[in-house]
Amino acid sequence: GLRQLRNSQFTKHNSQNVVLLDDCYQHRSVTPDINILLTEYSDLYCDDHILPFGNLREFRSGSRRADIIVVTKCSPFLSTKKQEHILQRLKPTASQIVFFSYITYSDPIPLLNPDSKLEIQNSKLLLVSGIANPAPLKRHLERHSTVSHLEFPDHHKFTLLDCELILKRFRNIKSGNKAIVTTEKDAMRLVDSKFTHLFNDIPFFYIPIEVKFFNQNDFDATILNFFHNFANS
């Protein structure tokens, strides 16, 4: 945990006072000072089962180790009544704090050509994704455009055959107002691949993502209060 690292060789040679670990909830050898558990609105851990019958890596009772629970990918218009209903299903302990978050998308950014522009309204888009749940982005794009979807597995590393398939699917779209769009994560993998040059003359964009909380000030205050208490401990 952070206290263990405070006097370690790591902090003697580095100026960082905070270590943020992603996806390490099951690493029981790590003893963090604060545990934040994320659970997706459409796939709450209270409705899931342990592998191989479900997607949980440990029993649902493990959720009690969390200090903060964040319900992610909610509708931006989630009502207070629905939030209360989810709280009843999650059954947090008296010491656990639950927050609700949602995703917002920014304007498309060119993957390669900085002068490119995309008018999403009434366009035809090929969505290329290699993430666990591209459904929210697809729904967002479908509010404005006609979308066809080329879906790859989560954490996919793009190959030459993949890029050729993307180009083929794009060229088969019959429209003068068409483009390829992808996620911010996939854009990084595509730019790092050896085949990016194949898209030099193609309108290719990625959609930046931002996570917001319904009670952003409360969430910020909770985290800052933790660090304040930790610094004075």
Coordinates of all heavy atoms in Angstrom, one line a residue, residues 111-199:
L111 N -7.2 11.3 -36.6 CA -6.2 10.3 -36.2 C -4.8 10.7 -36.8 O -3.8 10.6 -36.1 CB -6.6 8.9 -36.7 CG -5.7 7.8 -36.2 CD1 -5.8 7.6 -34.7 CD2 -6.1 6.5 -36.9
L112 N -4.8 11.1 -38.1 CA -3.6 11.4 -38.8 C -3.4 12.8 -39.3 O -2.5 13.5 -39.1 CB -3.4 10.3 -39.9 CG -3.4 8.9 -39.5 CD1 -3.4 8.0 -40.8 CD2 -2.1 8.6 -38.7
N113 N -4.4 13.2 -40.1 CA -4.4 14.5 -40.7 C -5.0 15.6 -39.9 O -6.3 15.6 -39.7 CB -5.1 14.4 -42.1 CG -5.0 15.7 -42.9 OD1 -4.5 16.7 -42.4 ND2 -5.5 15.7 -44.1
P114 N -4.2 16.5 -39.3 CA -4.8 17.5 -38.3 C -5.8 18.4 -39.0 O -6.5 19.1 -38.3 CB -3.6 18.2 -37.8 CG -2.5 18.0 -38.9 CD -2.8 16.6 -39.4
D115 N -5.8 18.5 -40.3 CA -6.6 19.5 -41.0 C -8.0 18.8 -41.4 O -8.9 19.5 -41.9 CB -6.0 20.0 -42.3 CG -4.7 20.8 -42.0 OD1 -4.7 21.5 -41.0 OD2 -3.7 20.7 -42.8
S116 N -8.1 17.6 -41.1 CA -9.4 16.9 -41.4 C -10.5 17.3 -40.5 O -10.3 17.6 -39.3 CB -9.2 15.4 -41.3 OG -8.3 14.9 -42.2
K117 N -11.7 17.4 -41.0 CA -12.9 17.7 -40.2 C -14.0 16.7 -40.5 O -14.1 16.2 -41.6 CB -13.3 19.2 -40.5 CG -12.3 20.2 -40.1 CD -12.9 21.6 -40.2 CE -11.9 22.7 -39.9 NZ -11.4 22.6 -38.5
L118 N -14.8 16.5 -39.5 CA -15.9 15.5 -39.6 C -17.2 16.1 -39.1 O -17.3 16.6 -38.0 CB -15.6 14.2 -38.9 CG -16.7 13.2 -38.8 CD1 -17.1 12.7 -40.2 CD2 -16.4 12.0 -37.9
E119 N -18.2 16.2 -40.0 CA -19.5 16.6 -39.6 C -20.3 15.3 -39.4 O -20.7 14.6 -40.3 CB -20.2 17.4 -40.8 CG -19.5 18.7 -41.0 CD -19.7 19.7 -39.8 OE1 -20.7 19.5 -39.1 OE2 -18.9 20.6 -39.7
I120 N -20.5 14.9 -38.1 CA -21.1 13.7 -37.8 C -22.6 13.6 -38.2 O -23.1 12.6 -38.7 CB -21.1 13.4 -36.3 CG1 -19.6 13.1 -35.9 CG2 -22.0 12.3 -35.8 CD1 -19.4 12.7 -34.4
Q121 N -23.2 14.8 -38.2 CA -24.7 14.8 -38.5 C -24.9 14.3 -39.9 O -24.3 14.7 -40.9 CB -25.2 16.3 -38.5 CG -26.7 16.4 -38.4 CD -27.2 16.0 -37.0 OE1 -26.5 16.1 -36.0 NE2 -28.4 15.4 -37.0
N122 N -25.8 13.3 -40.0 CA -26.2 12.7 -41.3 C -25.1 12.1 -42.1 O -25.2 11.9 -43.3 CB -26.9 13.7 -42.1 CG -28.2 14.3 -41.4 OD1 -28.9 13.5 -40.8 ND2 -28.4 15.5 -41.6
S123 N -24.0 11.7 -41.4 CA -22.9 11.0 -42.1 C -23.1 9.5 -42.0 O -23.9 9.0 -41.2 CB -21.6 11.5 -41.6 OG -21.5 11.2 -40.2
K124 N -22.3 8.8 -42.7 CA -22.2 7.3 -42.6 C -20.8 7.0 -42.1 O -19.8 7.3 -42.6 CB -22.4 6.6 -44.0 CG -23.8 6.7 -44.5 CD -24.1 5.8 -45.7 CE -25.6 5.9 -46.1 NZ -25.9 5.0 -47.2
L125 N -20.8 6.3 -40.9 CA -19.6 6.0 -40.2 C -19.3 4.5 -40.1 O -20.3 3.7 -39.9 CB -19.7 6.6 -38.8 CG -20.0 8.1 -38.7 CD1 -20.1 8.6 -37.2 CD2 -18.9 8.9 -39.4
L126 N -18.1 4.2 -40.1 CA -17.6 2.9 -39.8 C -16.9 3.0 -38.4 O -15.9 3.6 -38.3 CB -16.6 2.3 -40.8 CG -15.9 1.0 -40.5 CD1 -17.0 -0.1 -40.3 CD2 -14.9 0.6 -41.5
L127 N -17.6 2.4 -37.4 CA -17.0 2.4 -36.1 C -16.1 1.1 -35.9 O -16.5 0.0 -36.1 CB -18.1 2.3 -35.0 CG -17.7 2.1 -33.6 CD1 -16.8 3.2 -33.1 CD2 -18.9 2.0 -32.7
V128 N -14.8 1.4 -35.6 CA -13.9 0.3 -35.4 C -13.5 0.3 -33.9 O -13.1 1.3 -33.3 CB -12.6 0.6 -36.2 CG1 -11.5 -0.5 -35.9 CG2 -12.9 0.6 -37.7
S129 N -13.7 -0.8 -33.2 CA -13.5 -0.9 -31.8 C -12.8 -2.2 -31.4 O -13.0 -3.2 -32.0 CB -14.8 -0.7 -31.0 OG -15.6 -1.9 -31.2
G130 N -12.0 -2.0 -30.3 CA -11.4 -3.2 -29.7 C -11.4 -3.0 -28.2 O -10.3 -3.2 -27.6
I131 N -12.5 -2.7 -27.7 CA -12.7 -2.5 -26.2 C -13.8 -3.4 -25.7 O -14.5 -4.0 -26.5 CB -13.0 -1.0 -25.9 CG1 -14.3 -0.6 -26.6 CG2 -11.9 -0.1 -26.3 CD1 -14.8 0.8 -26.2
A132 N -13.9 -3.5 -24.4 CA -14.8 -4.5 -23.8 C -16.3 -4.2 -24.2 O -17.1 -5.1 -24.5 CB -14.6 -4.6 -22.3
N133 N -16.6 -2.9 -24.1 CA -18.0 -2.5 -24.3 C -18.2 -1.2 -25.1 O -18.2 -0.1 -24.6 CB -18.7 -2.3 -22.9 CG -20.2 -2.0 -23.1 OD1 -20.8 -2.2 -24.1 ND2 -20.8 -1.4 -22.0
P134 N -18.2 -1.4 -26.4 CA -18.3 -0.2 -27.3 C -19.8 0.3 -27.5 O -20.0 1.2 -28.2 CB -17.8 -0.8 -28.7 CG -18.2 -2.2 -28.6 CD -18.1 -2.7 -27.2
A135 N -20.7 -0.4 -26.9 CA -22.2 -0.1 -27.1 C -22.5 1.4 -26.8 O -23.2 2.0 -27.5 CB -23.0 -1.0 -26.2
P136 N -22.0 2.0 -25.6 CA -22.3 3.4 -25.4 C -21.8 4.3 -26.5 O -22.6 5.3 -26.8 CB -21.6 3.7 -24.1 CG -21.5 2.3 -23.4 CD -21.2 1.4 -24.5
L137 N -20.7 4.1 -27.0 CA -20.2 5.0 -28.1 C -21.0 4.8 -29.3 O -21.4 5.7 -30.0 CB -18.7 4.7 -28.4 CG -18.1 5.4 -29.6 CD1 -18.2 6.9 -29.4 CD2 -16.6 5.0 -29.8
K138 N -21.4 3.5 -29.6 CA -22.2 3.3 -30.8 C -23.5 4.0 -30.7 O -24.0 4.6 -31.6 CB -22.4 1.8 -31.0 CG -23.1 1.4 -32.3 CD -23.3 -0.1 -32.5 CE -24.1 -0.4 -33.7 NZ -24.4 -1.8 -33.9
R139 N -24.2 3.9 -29.5 CA -25.4 4.6 -29.3 C -25.3 6.1 -29.5 O -26.2 6.8 -30.0 CB -26.0 4.3 -27.9 CG -26.5 2.9 -27.7 CD -27.4 2.8 -26.5 NE -26.6 3.0 -25.3 CZ -26.0 2.1 -24.6 NH1 -26.0 0.8 -25.0 NH2 -25.3 2.3 -23.5
H140 N -24.2 6.7 -29.0 CA -23.9 8.1 -29.1 C -23.8 8.5 -30.6 O -24.4 9.5 -31.0 CB -22.6 8.5 -28.4 CG -22.1 9.8 -28.7 ND1 -22.6 11.0 -28.2 CD2 -21.0 10.2 -29.5 CE1 -22.0 12.0 -28.7 NE2 -21.0 11.6 -29.5
L141 N -23.1 7.7 -31.4 CA -22.9 8.0 -32.8 C -24.2 7.9 -33.6 O -24.5 8.6 -34.5 CB -21.8 7.1 -33.4 CG -20.4 7.4 -32.9 CD1 -19.5 6.3 -33.4 CD2 -19.9 8.8 -33.2
E142 N -25.0 6.9 -33.2 CA -26.3 6.6 -33.9 C -27.3 7.7 -33.7 O -28.3 7.7 -34.4 CB -26.8 5.2 -33.5 CG -26.0 4.1 -34.0 CD -26.5 2.7 -33.5 OE1 -27.1 2.7 -32.4 OE2 -26.3 1.7 -34.2
R143 N -27.1 8.6 -32.7 CA -28.0 9.7 -32.6 C -27.9 10.7 -33.7 O -28.8 11.5 -33.9 CB -27.8 10.4 -31.2 CG -28.0 9.6 -30.0 CD -28.0 10.4 -28.8 NE -28.0 9.6 -27.6 CZ -27.0 9.4 -26.8 NH1 -25.8 9.9 -27.0 NH2 -27.1 8.6 -25.7
H144 N -26.8 10.6 -34.4 CA -26.5 11.6 -35.4 C -26.2 11.0 -36.8 O -26.3 11.7 -37.8 CB -25.3 12.5 -35.1 CG -25.3 13.0 -33.7 ND1 -26.0 14.1 -33.3 CD2 -24.7 12.6 -32.5 CE1 -25.9 14.3 -32.0 NE2 -25.1 13.4 -31.5
S145 N -25.8 9.7 -36.8 CA -25.3 9.2 -38.1 C -25.8 7.8 -38.3 O -26.4 7.1 -37.4 CB -23.8 9.1 -38.0 OG -23.2 10.3 -37.6
T146 N -25.5 7.3 -39.5 CA -25.7 5.8 -39.8 C -24.4 5.1 -39.5 O -23.4 5.5 -40.0 CB -26.1 5.6 -41.3 OG1 -27.3 6.3 -41.5 CG2 -26.3 4.2 -41.6
V147 N -24.5 4.1 -38.7 CA -23.2 3.5 -38.2 C -23.2 2.0 -38.5 O -24.1 1.3 -38.2 CB -23.1 3.7 -36.6 CG1 -21.8 3.0 -36.1 CG2 -23.1 5.1 -36.2
S148 N -22.1 1.6 -39.1 CA -21.8 0.2 -39.2 C -20.6 -0.1 -38.3 O -19.8 0.8 -38.1 CB -21.5 -0.3 -40.7 OG -20.4 0.5 -41.2
H149 N -20.6 -1.3 -37.7 CA -19.6 -1.6 -36.7 C -18.7 -2.7 -37.0 O -19.2 -3.8 -37.3 CB -20.4 -1.8 -35.4 CG -19.5 -1.9 -34.1 ND1 -20.0 -2.3 -32.9 CD2 -18.2 -1.6 -33.9 CE1 -19.1 -2.2 -32.0 NE2 -18.0 -1.8 -32.6
L150 N -17.4 -2.5 -36.9 CA -16.4 -3.6 -37.1 C -15.8 -3.8 -35.7 O -15.0 -2.9 -35.3 CB -15.4 -3.2 -38.1 CG -14.3 -4.2 -38.5 CD1 -15.0 -5.6 -38.9 CD2 -13.4 -3.7 -39.6
E151 N -16.2 -4.9 -35.0 CA -15.8 -5.0 -33.6 C -14.7 -6.1 -33.5 O -14.8 -7.2 -34.0 CB -17.0 -5.5 -32.8 CG -16.8 -5.5 -31.3 CD -18.1 -5.7 -30.6 OE1 -19.2 -5.8 -31.2 OE2 -18.1 -5.8 -29.3
F152 N -13.6 -5.7 -32.8 CA -12.5 -6.6 -32.5 C -12.6 -6.9 -31.0 O -13.2 -6.2 -30.2 CB -11.2 -6.0 -32.9 CG -11.0 -5.8 -34.3 CD1 -11.4 -4.6 -35.0 CD2 -10.5 -6.8 -35.1 CE1 -11.3 -4.4 -36.3 CE2 -10.4 -6.6 -36.5 CZ -10.7 -5.4 -37.1
P153 N -11.8 -8.0 -30.5 CA -11.8 -8.3 -29.1 C -11.2 -7.2 -28.3 O -10.4 -6.3 -28.8 CB -10.9 -9.6 -29.0 CG -11.0 -10.1 -30.4 CD -11.1 -8.9 -31.3
D154 N -11.4 -7.2 -27.0 CA -10.9 -6.2 -26.0 C -9.3 -6.3 -26.1 O -8.8 -7.4 -26.2 CB -11.4 -6.5 -24.6 CG -11.1 -5.4 -23.7 OD1 -10.8 -4.2 -24.1 OD2 -11.2 -5.6 -22.5
H155 N -8.7 -5.1 -26.0 CA -7.2 -5.0 -26.0 C -6.6 -5.5 -27.3 O -5.5 -6.0 -27.3 CB -6.6 -5.8 -24.8 CG -7.1 -5.3 -23.5 ND1 -6.9 -4.0 -23.0 CD2 -7.8 -6.0 -22.6 CE1 -7.4 -3.9 -21.8 NE2 -8.0 -5.1 -21.5
H156 N -7.3 -5.5 -28.4 CA -6.9 -6.0 -29.7 C -5.7 -5.3 -30.2 O -5.6 -4.1 -30.2 CB -8.0 -6.0 -30.7 CG -7.7 -6.7 -32.0 ND1 -7.5 -8.1 -32.1 CD2 -7.4 -6.2 -33.2 CE1 -7.2 -8.4 -33.3 NE2 -7.2 -7.3 -34.0
K157 N -4.7 -6.1 -30.7 CA -3.5 -5.5 -31.4 C -3.7 -5.6 -32.9 O -3.8 -6.7 -33.4 CB -2.2 -6.2 -30.9 CG -1.0 -5.6 -31.5 CD 0.3 -6.3 -31.0 CE 1.5 -5.7 -31.5 NZ 2.8 -6.4 -31.0
F158 N -3.8 -4.5 -33.5 CA -4.2 -4.5 -34.9 C -3.1 -5.0 -35.9 O -1.9 -4.6 -35.7 CB -4.6 -3.1 -35.4 CG -5.9 -2.7 -34.7 CD1 -5.9 -1.9 -33.6 CD2 -7.1 -3.0 -35.3 CE1 -7.1 -1.5 -32.9 CE2 -8.3 -2.6 -34.7 CZ -8.3 -1.9 -33.5
T159 N -3.5 -5.9 -36.8 CA -2.5 -6.5 -37.7 C -2.8 -5.9 -39.1 O -3.7 -5.1 -39.3 CB -2.7 -8.0 -37.8 OG1 -4.0 -8.3 -38.4 CG2 -2.6 -8.6 -36.4
L160 N -1.9 -6.3 -40.1 CA -2.1 -5.9 -41.4 C -3.4 -6.3 -42.0 O -4.1 -5.6 -42.7 CB -0.9 -6.4 -42.3 CG -1.0 -6.1 -43.8 CD1 -1.1 -4.6 -44.1 CD2 0.2 -6.7 -44.5
L161 N -3.8 -7.6 -41.7 CA -5.0 -8.1 -42.2 C -6.2 -7.3 -41.6 O -7.2 -7.1 -42.3 CB -5.2 -9.6 -41.9 CG -4.3 -10.5 -42.7 CD1 -4.4 -12.0 -42.2 CD2 -4.6 -10.4 -44.2
D162 N -6.1 -6.9 -40.4 CA -7.2 -6.1 -39.7 C -7.3 -4.8 -40.5 O -8.4 -4.4 -40.8 CB -6.8 -5.9 -38.3 CG -6.8 -7.1 -37.4 OD1 -7.5 -8.1 -37.8 OD2 -6.1 -7.2 -36.4
C163 N -6.2 -4.1 -40.7 CA -6.3 -2.8 -41.4 C -6.8 -2.9 -42.8 O -7.5 -2.0 -43.2 CB -4.9 -2.2 -41.4 SG -4.3 -1.8 -39.7
E164 N -6.4 -4.0 -43.5 CA -7.0 -4.2 -44.8 C -8.5 -4.4 -44.8 O -9.2 -4.0 -45.7 CB -6.2 -5.4 -45.5 CG -4.8 -5.0 -45.9 CD -4.1 -6.2 -46.4 OE1 -4.5 -7.4 -46.2 OE2 -3.0 -6.0 -47.1
L165 N -8.9 -5.1 -43.8 CA -10.4 -5.4 -43.6 C -11.1 -4.1 -43.3 O -12.2 -3.8 -43.8 CB -10.6 -6.4 -42.5 CG -12.1 -6.7 -42.1 CD1 -12.8 -7.2 -43.3 CD2 -12.2 -7.6 -40.9
I166 N -10.5 -3.2 -42.4 CA -11.1 -1.9 -42.1 C -11.3 -1.1 -43.4 O -12.3 -0.5 -43.7 CB -10.2 -1.2 -41.1 CG1 -10.3 -1.9 -39.8 CG2 -10.7 0.3 -40.9 CD1 -9.2 -1.4 -38.8
L167 N -10.2 -1.1 -44.2 CA -10.3 -0.3 -45.5 C -11.3 -0.9 -46.4 O -12.0 -0.1 -47.1 CB -8.9 -0.3 -46.1 CG -7.8 0.5 -45.5 CD1 -6.4 0.2 -46.1 CD2 -8.1 2.0 -45.7
K168 N -11.4 -2.2 -46.5 CA -12.4 -2.8 -47.4 C -13.8 -2.4 -47.0 O -14.7 -2.1 -47.8 CB -12.2 -4.3 -47.4 CG -13.2 -5.0 -48.3 CD -12.9 -6.5 -48.3 CE -13.9 -7.3 -49.2 NZ -13.7 -8.7 -49.2
R169 N -14.1 -2.5 -45.6 CA -15.4 -2.2 -45.1 C -15.7 -0.7 -45.4 O -16.9 -0.4 -45.7 CB -15.5 -2.5 -43.6 CG -15.5 -4.0 -43.3 CD -16.9 -4.6 -43.6 NE -17.9 -4.0 -42.7 CZ -18.2 -4.5 -41.5 NH1 -17.6 -5.6 -41.0 NH2 -19.1 -3.9 -40.8
F170 N -14.7 0.1 -45.2 CA -14.9 1.6 -45.4 C -15.3 1.8 -46.9 O -16.2 2.6 -47.2 CB -13.7 2.3 -45.0 CG -13.8 3.8 -45.3 CD1 -14.6 4.7 -44.6 CD2 -13.0 4.3 -46.4 CE1 -14.7 6.0 -45.0 CE2 -13.0 5.7 -46.7 CZ -13.9 6.5 -46.0
R171 N -14.5 1.2 -47.8 CA -14.7 1.5 -49.2 C -16.0 1.0 -49.7 O -16.6 1.4 -50.7 CB -13.5 0.9 -50.0 CG -12.3 1.7 -49.8 CD -11.0 1.0 -50.4 NE -9.8 1.9 -50.2 CZ -8.6 1.4 -50.1 NH1 -8.4 0.1 -50.0 NH2 -7.6 2.2 -49.9
N172 N -16.6 0.0 -49.0 CA -17.9 -0.6 -49.4 C -19.1 0.3 -49.0 O -20.2 0.0 -49.4 CB -18.1 -2.0 -48.8 CG -17.2 -3.0 -49.6 OD1 -16.8 -2.8 -50.7 ND2 -16.9 -4.1 -48.9
I173 N -18.8 1.3 -48.2 CA -19.9 2.2 -47.8 C -20.2 3.2 -48.9 O -19.3 3.9 -49.4 CB -19.5 3.0 -46.5 CG1 -19.3 2.1 -45.3 CG2 -20.5 4.1 -46.1 CD1 -18.7 2.8 -44.1
K174 N -21.4 3.2 -49.3 CA -21.8 4.0 -50.5 C -22.3 5.4 -50.0 O -23.5 5.6 -49.7 CB -23.0 3.3 -51.3 CG -22.6 1.9 -51.7 CD -21.4 1.9 -52.6 CE -21.1 0.4 -53.1 NZ -19.8 0.4 -53.9
S175 N -21.4 6.3 -49.9 CA -21.7 7.7 -49.5 C -20.6 8.6 -49.7 O -19.4 8.2 -49.6 CB -22.1 7.7 -48.0 OG -22.3 9.0 -47.6
G176 N -20.9 9.8 -50.0 CA -19.8 10.8 -50.2 C -19.4 11.4 -48.9 O -18.3 12.0 -48.7
N177 N -20.3 11.3 -47.9 CA -20.0 11.8 -46.5 C -19.8 10.6 -45.6 O -20.7 10.2 -44.9 CB -21.2 12.7 -46.1 CG -20.9 13.3 -44.7 OD1 -19.7 13.5 -44.3 ND2 -22.0 13.7 -44.0
K178 N -18.6 10.1 -45.6 CA -18.3 8.9 -44.8 C -17.0 9.0 -44.1 O -16.1 9.8 -44.6 CB -18.4 7.6 -45.6 CG -17.4 7.6 -46.7 CD -17.5 6.3 -47.5 CE -16.4 6.2 -48.6 NZ -16.5 4.9 -49.4
A179 N -16.8 8.3 -43.0 CA -15.5 8.4 -42.3 C -15.4 7.1 -41.4 O -16.4 6.4 -41.2 CB -15.4 9.6 -41.4
I180 N -14.2 6.9 -41.0 CA -14.0 5.8 -40.0 C -13.8 6.5 -38.6 O -13.1 7.5 -38.5 CB -12.7 5.0 -40.3 CG1 -12.8 4.4 -41.7 CG2 -12.5 3.9 -39.3 CD1 -11.5 3.8 -42.1
V181 N -14.4 6.0 -37.6 CA -14.2 6.5 -36.2 C -13.8 5.4 -35.3 O -14.2 4.2 -35.5 CB -15.5 7.2 -35.7 CG1 -15.8 8.5 -36.5 CG2 -16.7 6.3 -35.7
T182 N -13.1 5.7 -34.3 CA -12.7 4.7 -33.3 C -12.6 5.3 -32.0 O -12.8 6.5 -31.8 CB -11.3 4.1 -33.8 OG1 -11.0 2.9 -33.0 CG2 -10.2 5.1 -33.6
T183 N -12.3 4.5 -31.0 CA -12.2 4.9 -29.6 C -10.8 5.5 -29.4 O -9.9 5.3 -30.1 CB -12.4 3.8 -28.6 OG1 -11.3 2.9 -28.7 CG2 -13.7 3.0 -28.9
E184 N -10.7 6.2 -28.3 CA -9.4 6.9 -27.9 C -8.3 5.8 -27.7 O -7.2 5.9 -28.1 CB -9.6 7.8 -26.7 CG -8.5 8.9 -26.6 CD -9.0 9.9 -25.6 OE1 -10.0 9.8 -25.0 OE2 -8.2 10.9 -25.5
K185 N -8.7 4.7 -27.0 CA -7.8 3.6 -26.7 C -7.3 2.9 -28.0 O -6.1 2.6 -28.2 CB -8.5 2.6 -25.8 CG -8.6 3.0 -24.3 CD -9.1 1.8 -23.5 CE -9.1 2.2 -22.0 NZ -9.7 1.1 -21.2
D186 N -8.3 2.6 -28.9 CA -7.9 2.0 -30.1 C -7.1 2.9 -31.0 O -6.2 2.4 -31.8 CB -9.2 1.6 -30.9 CG -9.9 0.4 -30.2 OD1 -9.3 -0.6 -29.8 OD2 -11.2 0.6 -30.0
A187 N -7.3 4.2 -31.0 CA -6.5 5.1 -31.7 C -5.1 5.0 -31.4 O -4.2 5.1 -32.2 CB -7.0 6.6 -31.5
M188 N -4.8 4.9 -30.1 CA -3.4 4.8 -29.6 C -2.7 3.5 -30.2 O -1.6 3.5 -30.6 CB -3.3 4.7 -28.1 CG -3.8 6.0 -27.4 SD -3.9 5.9 -25.7 CE -2.2 5.5 -25.2
R189 N -3.5 2.4 -30.2 CA -3.0 1.1 -30.7 C -2.8 1.2 -32.2 O -1.8 0.7 -32.8 CB -3.9 0.0 -30.4 CG -3.8 -0.4 -28.9 CD -4.5 -1.7 -28.6 NE -5.9 -1.6 -28.7 CZ -6.7 -1.4 -27.6 NH1 -6.1 -1.2 -26.4 NH2 -8.0 -1.3 -27.7
L190 N -3.7 1.9 -32.9 CA -3.5 2.0 -34.4 C -2.4 2.9 -34.8 O -1.6 2.6 -35.7 CB -4.8 2.6 -35.0 CG -6.0 1.6 -35.1 CD1 -7.3 2.3 -35.3 CD2 -5.7 0.7 -36.3
V191 N -2.2 4.0 -34.0 CA -1.1 4.9 -34.3 C 0.3 4.2 -34.1 O 1.3 4.5 -34.8 CB -1.2 6.2 -33.5 CG1 0.1 7.0 -33.6 CG2 -2.4 7.0 -34.0
D192 N 0.3 3.4 -33.1 CA 1.5 2.6 -32.7 C 1.8 1.5 -33.6 O 2.9 0.9 -33.6 CB 1.5 2.1 -31.3 CG 1.6 3.3 -30.3 OD1 2.1 4.4 -30.7 OD2 1.2 3.1 -29.1
S193 N 0.8 1.1 -34.5 CA 1.0 0.0 -35.4 C 1.9 0.3 -36.5 O 2.2 1.5 -36.8 CB -0.3 -0.6 -35.9 OG -0.8 0.3 -36.9
K194 N 2.3 -0.7 -37.3 CA 3.2 -0.4 -38.4 C 2.4 -0.1 -39.7 O 3.0 0.1 -40.8 CB 4.1 -1.7 -38.7 CG 4.9 -2.1 -37.5 CD 5.6 -3.4 -37.8 CE 6.5 -3.9 -36.7 NZ 7.1 -5.2 -36.9
F195 N 1.1 -0.1 -39.6 CA 0.3 0.0 -40.8 C -0.6 1.3 -40.9 O -1.5 1.4 -41.7 CB -0.7 -1.2 -40.8 CG 0.0 -2.5 -40.4 CD1 -0.3 -3.1 -39.2 CD2 1.0 -3.0 -41.2 CE1 0.3 -4.3 -38.8 CE2 1.6 -4.2 -40.9 CZ 1.3 -4.8 -39.7
T196 N -0.2 2.3 -40.0 CA -1.0 3.5 -40.0 C -1.0 4.2 -41.4 O -2.0 4.9 -41.7 CB -0.4 4.4 -38.9 OG1 -0.3 3.7 -37.7 CG2 -1.3 5.6 -38.7
H197 N 0.1 4.1 -42.1 CA 0.2 4.7 -43.4 C -0.9 4.3 -44.4 O -1.2 5.1 -45.3 CB 1.6 4.5 -44.0 CG 1.8 3.0 -44.4 ND1 2.2 2.1 -43.4 CD2 1.7 2.3 -45.6 CE1 2.3 0.9 -44.0 NE2 2.0 1.0 -45.3
L198 N -1.5 3.2 -44.1 CA -2.6 2.7 -45.0 C -3.8 3.7 -45.0 O -4.6 3.7 -45.9 CB -3.0 1.3 -44.7 CG -2.0 0.2 -44.8 CD1 -2.5 -1.1 -44.3 CD2 -1.6 0.1 -46.3
F199 N -3.9 4.5 -43.9 CA -5.0 5.3 -43.7 C -4.7 6.8 -44.0 O -5.5 7.7 -43.6 CB -5.5 5.2 -42.3 CG -5.9 3.8 -41.9 CD1 -5.1 3.0 -41.1 CD2 -7.1 3.2 -42.4 CE1 -5.4 1.7 -40.7 CE2 -7.4 1.9 -42.1 CZ -6.6 1.2 -41.2

